[in-house]
Amino acid sequence: MNADAADELRRLLRAVLEAAEVGDWRRALSLLASGQPPVAGLGFLVRGAVVLEHVAGAMQLRAQGFVAEGSEQLGVAASQLSRLCDTAATPGRVAAVVMPEPDEASSDDHLSWRIARLLWREQFELQDLRQRLAPGRMKAREELIEACIEHLCCVEFDPFTWPESGQPAPDDGITVAPTRQMLCRRATRLRQFADPTRGEVTQSVWRDIGAYRALRGAALTRLAARKAPAPWCGRRGTAGLKVCRGRLHAWRYAHIWRDDRTYWNRSEEVP
């Protein structure tokens, strides 16, 4: 790979990273498809493109509700970054680790560090989700609430889901309507992500909770109770790491919604 081609690939990887870091996996995948990264040359740059493609693909799968498949894609991505990944903490599963930030922001080491940290973020969030949904920890009703939270964070409040006026809707396989069928299927996939032997979340759970109006309220209540928009916030090495815009906006809205619901308890005058 000549110097110009390598610099072009570096610019492409940085642009893809900027998109993926804020949750715009659609743009990340589009850039990778249009950029046509070379299949030979500086190995770490080519591997970086492969990693980012898998990470962006995993983010799309999560938005679609396919969390187990998304986790598998992240594992494949981690296998491409052996120098920045560790398998000791999770036997049989390759996982990215948070490394110290390199001093030179324009260096290739810093570029690799950003890619690994993005991968770590996505793996951490799915592992946290798997642990919260571990067998025996939630009833079907609570699993459906978690599925609704996923929909709020990955779809409804994701600014990149919705096209600008006059623009065509993206063909990304995302179901935007919060229907009974879609949310029950998402809940089923979540519980089977934690325990593949479990059965489906049925429509009786949907009816029991009070359909979407009550489900959304329960999801916002649970989301507002969380101290941070993402489970990794505040951990060592995460300073400056961005939260996906959809997750951040959903969390902030949940707090606004909770405050609005309890306005009568406030001493100040409501304008």
Side-chain angles (χ1 to χ4, degrees):
M1 181 187 296
N2 61 44
D4 289 342
D7 287 342
E8 183 178 349
L9 183 50
R10 289 184 180 94
R11 286 192 292 270
L12 172 64
L13 295 184
R14 290 190 176 95
V16 171
L17 266 169
E18 289 176 2
E21 284 172 343
V22 298
D24 192 359
W25 51 263
R26 297 168 184 82
R27 176 166 173 76
L29 289 173
S30 177
L31 285 169
L32 286 169
S34 63
Q36 297 179 342
V39 295
L42 291 179
F44 76 92
L45 290 177
V46 176
R47 285 197 300 274
V50 173
V51 169
L52 289 175
E53 184 175 13
H54 282 295
V55 171
M59 295 170 73
Q60 178 177 16
L61 286 166
R62 183 176 180 180
Q64 293 170 331
F66 297 104
V67 283
E69 293 83 350
S71 181
E72 291 175 2
Q73 287 292 306
L74 295 175
V76 173
S79 69
Q80 298 293 316
L81 281 180
S82 58
R83 188 168 63 88
L84 295 176
C85 293
D86 179 30
T87 58
T90 51
R93 182 182 305 154
V94 184
V97 295
V98 177
M99 303 286 286
E101 181 177 3
D103 294 332
E104 180 53 57
S106 61
S107 67
D108 288 336
D109 283 344
H110 196 277
L111 181 60
S112 295
W113 171 80
R114 284 181 64 190
I115 294 173
R117 199 161 74 143
L118 171 68
L119 173 57
W120 175 87
R121 181 191 77 180
E122 295 303 307
Q123 285 189 308
F124 190 98
E125 289 186 8
L126 285 187
Q127 183 60 22
D128 175 78
L129 193 58
R130 192 200 297 266
Q131 291 173 350
R132 283 190 281 113
L133 289 155
R137 298 194 66 177
M138 289 187 181
K139 296 180 179 180
R141 177 190 182 98
E142 295 172 303
E143 291 168 337
L144 187 58
I145 291 171
E146 285 294 329
C148 188
I149 291 175
E150 282 288 290
H151 175 77
L152 293 175
C153 293
C154 299
V155 180
E156 182 173 333
F157 283 92
D158 175 10
F160 312 111
T161 295
W162 314 100
E164 296 181 11
S165 178
Q167 298 298 313
D171 182 16
D172 54 16
I174 306 299
T175 302
V176 298
T179 64
R180 169 183 56 79
Q181 183 181 57
M182 184 276 288
L183 285 168
C184 285
R185 284 181 177 174
R186 186 182 283 272
T188 295
R189 289 169 182 146
L190 284 177
R191 65 156 45 163
Q192 291 176 349
F193 177 49
D195 181 2
T197 66
R198 298 195 63 194
E200 296 181 353
V201 175
T202 64
Q203 60 180 312
S204 63
V205 183
W206 171 273
R207 291 196 300 268
D208 176 67
I209 204 170
Y212 185 63
R213 178 177 289 187
L215 174 60
R216 189 176 190 271
L220 289 171
T221 298
R222 182 175 295 183
L223 191 54
R226 295 179 180 173
K227 295 180 179 180
W232 47 263
C233 290
R235 294 180 66 91
R236 182 178 61 85
T238 62
L241 183 58
K242 295 178 181 178
V243 179
C244 286
R245 289 292 186 269
R247 187 166 303 281
L248 181 62
H249 294 330
W251 182 78
R252 285 175 172 170
Y253 175 79
H255 283 77
I256 294 171
W257 174 86
R258 181 184 61 184
D259 292 344
D260 286 344
R261 294 286 297 174
T262 58
Y263 71 90
W264 56 84
N265 293 326
R266 285 185 261 144
S267 58
E268 68 267 20
E269 182 179 349
V270 178

